[in-house]
Amino acid sequence: MSLAMDNLALVHEIAIDPNFSVSEIPKNPIEAAVKENMYRAYWDILSEDLRKDPPDHGHAFNLLMEIKQTILEDVLSPAHVRLRAEVDSVLDENALRSKMEQNCLDVRGIGRFIVDLLGRLCAPERDPIVEKLRHEEGIVELIKGIFGLIDIMKNDLTNYTISQNRDVVEEYSAQFEYKEFLKYLDKFPDGSVMTKEWLK
């Protein structure tokens, strides 16, 4: 299916389904299994690195930087000036790299800061996840949980945006579908004949 048809289907679905929401759960079981195995392998490598003596924090550092970038780009809005400054300060790349090189990077402490920050920003129904992460002792599970919570928050934000703009989507859905149908007819002129036959 073309991108235009995918977009058409998505707009149509949002317009007609008042309960439409975005989900990160793969619908294809094979895709889900592959994704799960890839993640498991990645987390196993991180776990092995942290068990080394001294611990190798290279992967953990990279993950913290990825979390920082995701928070700044996808979670915080430009209006969150103070929180952005706080994230930049606590997750300062140069400072954390220096601590990592001195083998004194407190991944758990930084993880707790991130969990507390996300706890201030997420929907109240996510509080049990936040609370569980606050008591998580394992670094791998903590980082994994942070990524999971961020994904949930991004979905929540997307679904909130959709719900707030549903009227606009409904208003323009018919126009969009009509325009896309005309594009389709340009490529497949017999489509109108088939449509007329179908309507009879």
Side-chain angles (χ1 to χ4, degrees), residues 61 67 91 169:
F61 171 80
I67 289 169
L91 293 167
V169 172

Side-chain angles (χ1 to χ4, degrees), residues 27-181:
K27 293 179 181 172
N28 181 330
I30 295 172
E31 180 186 340
V34 169
K35 187 175 181 180
E36 182 183 336
N37 285 327
M38 286 176 58
Y39 281 156
R40 186 180 305 123
Y42 187 81
W43 296 120
D44 287 348
I45 291 169
L46 176 62
S47 184
E48 287 172 19
D49 285 350
L50 294 174
R51 280 197 301 266
K52 290 178 182 174
D53 189 18
D56 179 353
H57 288 111
H59 278 95
F61 171 80
N62 291 334
L63 290 171
L64 291 174
M65 291 301 98
E66 186 178 335
I67 289 169
K68 174 186 177 180
Q69 182 179 354
T70 304
I71 289 172
L72 291 175
E73 292 178 3
D74 298 337
V75 177
L76 295 177
S77 74
H80 289 115
V81 177
R82 188 183 58 77
L83 290 177
R84 286 176 165 279
E86 194 176 343
V87 169
D88 275 329
S89 173
V90 174
L91 293 167
D92 179 74
E93 183 172 356
N94 292 330
L96 294 183
R97 187 181 302 280
S98 175
K99 288 181 181 180
M100 179 182 68
E101 289 166 356
Q102 296 167 20
N103 202 29
C104 61
L105 181 64
D106 182 9
V107 178
R108 187 176 286 110
I110 296 166
R112 298 238 187 280
F113 161 78
I114 294 167
V115 170
D116 287 340
L117 173 74
L118 297 177
R120 290 185 271 167
L121 296 167
C122 68
E125 61 261 29
R126 306 304 175 202
D127 287 350
I129 299 171
V130 172
E131 199 55 36
K132 182 180 177 192
L133 288 174
R134 282 189 173 126
H135 295 95
E136 180 58 63
E137 291 299 320
I139 292 175
V140 174
E141 291 304 315
L142 179 61
I143 293 175
K144 192 190 303 186
I146 288 169
F147 274 105
L149 179 57
I150 288 173
D151 283 344
I152 290 169
M153 290 173 67
K154 285 163 58 176
N155 264 8
D156 288 346
L157 184 58
T158 300
N159 288 326
Y160 174 76
T161 303
I162 289 170
S163 71
Q164 292 301 302
N165 293 291
R166 188 172 304 283
D167 292 342
V168 175
V169 172
E170 289 172 0
E171 183 179 334
Y172 292 102
S173 174
Q175 295 171 16
F176 179 77
E177 290 181 27
Y178 178 71
K179 194 164 60 174
E180 290 301 318
F181 185 66

